[in-house]
Amino acid sequence: MEAIIIVPVLLAFGLPGALWPYKLSRLQEQFDSIGSRRSWSEVEPADWKVGLTRILGIGMSVIGAIGALSMIVG
């Protein structure tokens, strides 16, 4: 029963992280820059953060896809 909730959440957050890691990392950095003197347009994410976002997105997507397939098959 929990898989019905977890699988769509994993896919909803994993796919954008895997497909658009730079955009998501930049959005996170923009939120982090609230209160600083830098403008939102000047903020850039570090390369490691973009890579980590991509890896986590792929992992979440794979786990979500496996969960979806197990719900279909089982």
Side-chain angles (χ1 to χ4, degrees):
M1 188 64 155
E2 296 86 20
I4 295 173
I5 297 169
I6 294 172
V7 168
V9 170
L10 285 172
L11 292 174
F13 287 103
L15 287 175
L19 297 175
W20 304 292
Y22 178 80
K23 289 182 180 182
L24 287 178
S25 297
R26 185 159 189 229
L27 181 63
Q28 290 171 351
E29 290 295 324
Q30 287 173 338
F31 283 133
D32 287 343
S33 73
I34 293 175
S36 73
R37 294 178 185 224
R38 296 183 81 183
S39 69
W40 283 27
S41 61
E42 295 176 358
V43 176
E44 292 292 328
D47 290 337
W48 66 266
K49 188 166 190 168
V50 176
L52 183 62
T53 302
R54 181 179 303 264
I55 290 169
L56 291 175
I58 291 170
M60 290 172 65
S61 299
V62 167
I63 293 170
I66 291 170
L69 288 174
S70 70
M71 286 175 27
I72 292 170
V73 172

